Amino acid sequence: MGKPLFFEILEKPATSCIIWICSLIWFYIQKKNIGYSQVGLSYGTAIEGQYWRILTSTFSHISVLHLVFNMSALWSLGVIEQLRSIGLGVEYYLHYTLLLVVLPELLVLGMHHVLIHRFKLEYFRRVTAVGYSCVVFGWMTILSMKQPSAKLQVFGFLSLPISFAPFESLIFTSIIVPQASFLGHLSGIIVGYAIAWGIIHGMNNYWAISMLVWIIAVFICSLKKSGIHNLGFLEIESVTDDSLPSVRFLDSETNRNLHMNASVVAAANLV
């Protein structure tokens, strides 16, 4: 018999927290009837400065099947938190999860930029991505390099040799789910190899905290500037250069005078 779920949760605290966060966000999206175009990331929304979508797109799932597939794979990959003896562990997991949340998304946007401007494929301007798949594929790749003898469990019964899992899963999801983002999953694999091979390295508590602070700052400022949601406590206005915003906090009296225009960006496809 396997270990009781309670003890597995204690052994995978970071993974368990992420699964809870993604599940609660999915529940909120369903309850509020939020569409993927409202939380997803596309090239079009990125060039408009809606950088907050990098976070919302990563942690959002629209269908329950999408959520279950990603979270079941992530739960299996949570074994990384227990492998401190080979240089992994909880700290390593948290540090590089931050990178895997951001870097694959930026890489996808770079690919879309080339496809749009070099090959004139305007379709990729509207392709909208949601889901934690990039991070899952990144960790899948790292584990395949660090512990190639491991097994990846999906849905609790499907077992894949971890050494082949990244590309097996890439092909499998592309066939079974035609709307799955091939470039998004491939970007997670590329960043995963870059981390596993030491091309991207040196993350520690200082850099992780610094990066987290910058992520939060960019998220709040871009969300406020985009005008999608009203963050009454924060005002962003231009100074000498229109491209350089200044940030100041408002008192409650001034806050009541703010008016924001909401806008929703339409997207062509779910990936």
Side-chain angles (χ1 to χ4, degrees):
M1 291 181 62
K3 294 181 182 178
L5 179 60
F6 175 76
F7 291 106
E8 287 201 52
I9 291 173
L10 292 180
E11 292 176 348
K12 305 174 182 178
T15 301
S16 301
C17 287
I18 292 170
I19 290 173
W20 271 106
I21 290 169
C22 289
S23 300
L24 289 173
I25 291 173
W26 174 83
F27 179 78
Y28 180 83
I29 286 173
Q30 299 303 311
K31 185 177 181 181
K32 297 296 183 180
N33 198 28
I34 297 172
Y36 67 86
S37 64
Q38 295 172 268
V39 294
L41 176 69
S42 68
Y43 182 84
T45 55
I47 62 175
E48 291 174 2
Q50 297 181 31
Y51 308 124
W52 53 270
R53 290 177 178 268
I54 291 176
L55 284 187
T56 59
S57 66
T58 299
F59 292 95
S60 299
H61 297 79
I62 301 304
S63 72
V64 65
L65 181 62
H66 190 200
L67 175 71
V68 170
F69 181 83
N70 279 347
M71 295 303 102
S72 62
L74 183 65
W75 178 256
S76 182
L77 292 166
V79 68
I80 291 168
E81 297 186 60
Q82 305 168 34
L83 298 177
R84 189 176 180 86
S85 60
I86 61 172
L88 302 179
V90 178
E91 281 192 12
Y92 183 94
Y93 185 85
L94 290 172
H95 292 168
Y96 286 95
T97 290
L98 277 176
L99 290 177
L100 287 169
V101 165
V102 176
L103 294 186
E105 301 280 11
L106 297 180
L107 184 55
V108 169
L109 292 175
M111 292 178 179
H112 285 181
H113 178 83
V114 173
L115 290 169
I116 292 166
H117 295 283
R118 180 67 179 86
F119 298 98
K120 309 302 179 185
L121 298 174
E122 287 296 319
Y123 162 77
F124 287 97
R125 190 180 296 274
R126 303 184 305 276
V127 170
T128 301
V130 290
Y132 204 73
S133 303
C134 288
V135 183
V136 169
F137 273 82
W139 278 122
M140 204 183 294
T141 304
I142 293 170
L143 188 59
S144 72
M145 297 295 295
K146 299 289 188 179
Q147 196 177 48
S149 61
K151 297 282 187 179
L152 177 68
Q153 300 287 335
V154 182
F155 296 124
F157 63 86
L158 181 61
S159 180
L160 300 173
I162 194 65
S163 55
F164 301 109
F167 291 103
E168 284 179 346
S169 300
L170 180 65
I171 296 170
F172 175 78
T173 53
S174 298
I175 294 173
I176 301 301
V177 187
Q179 290 179 311
S181 174
F182 181 87
L183 292 180
H185 297 169
L186 181 61
S187 295
I189 292 173
I190 292 172
V191 175
Y193 275 123
I195 293 172
W197 289 337
I199 298 172
I200 299 173
H201 66 283
M203 284 292 287
N204 53 35
N205 288 336
Y206 171 79
W207 289 114
I209 292 171
S210 299
M211 185 175 178
L212 181 61
V213 170
W214 276 106
I215 288 173
I216 293 172
V218 171
F219 177 87
I220 293 175
C221 292
S222 64
L223 184 62
K224 177 68 177 183
K225 193 172 183 179
S226 68
I228 302 295
H229 299 282
N230 183 11
L231 302 179
F233 63 90
L234 183 65
E235 180 179 341
I236 301 178
E237 58 184 11
S238 60
V239 283
T240 56
D241 187 342
D242 290 338
S243 64
L244 299 175
S246 65
V247 179
R248 66 186 177 88
F249 289 88
L250 301 176
D251 57 33
S252 58
E253 183 177 352
T254 309
N255 178 28
R256 288 193 292 269
N257 296 324
L258 284 177
H259 298 281
M260 304 298 297
N261 295 321
S263 62
V264 178
V265 180
N269 197 8
L270 171 65
V271 279

